[in-house]
Amino acid sequence: MAESADKKTPLDGPENSEAAKEAGAISGPSNNLEALPIRQYLDQTVTPVLLKAMGELVHIRPEDPVEWLAAWLVKNNPNKKVKAESSPEN
């Protein structure tokens, strides 16, 4: 049996309603992240990096996976601003 397209999950906010779509609250990729429903926000910002991290995690299988994951996320944060190269400090 196919699920209804109108069925909402706890991750779907009120912004995901047809009325919100028609009103322009949800338009396209240039959307303000704050206007996105929770699921879309997570799918666009967090899920891709978490999937990559967890893919590596299952191969490495560290003793403390949460600590490893936290360190991996800090090291591989795609939103971290890259510091301009500067002269070495003394």
Side-chain angles (χ1 to χ4, degrees), residues 15-33 35-37 40 44:
E15 301 87 1
N16 202 22
S17 69
E18 285 301 315
K21 289 177 186 174
E22 291 173 6
I26 301 173
S27 59
S30 63
N31 246 1
N32 181 344
L33 292 176
L36 292 174
Q40 288 179 346
Q44 290 181 19

Side-chain angles (χ1 to χ4, degrees), residues 39-68:
R39 178 170 293 196
Q40 288 179 346
Y41 170 76
L42 292 173
D43 285 346
Q44 290 181 19
T45 59
V46 177
T47 302
V49 74
L50 280 178
L51 287 174
K52 185 174 180 181
M54 291 190 316
E56 290 187 32
L57 178 79
V58 298
H59 291 291
I60 295 171
R61 297 188 182 242
E63 189 172 313
D64 186 348
V66 174
E67 181 78 24
W68 183 93

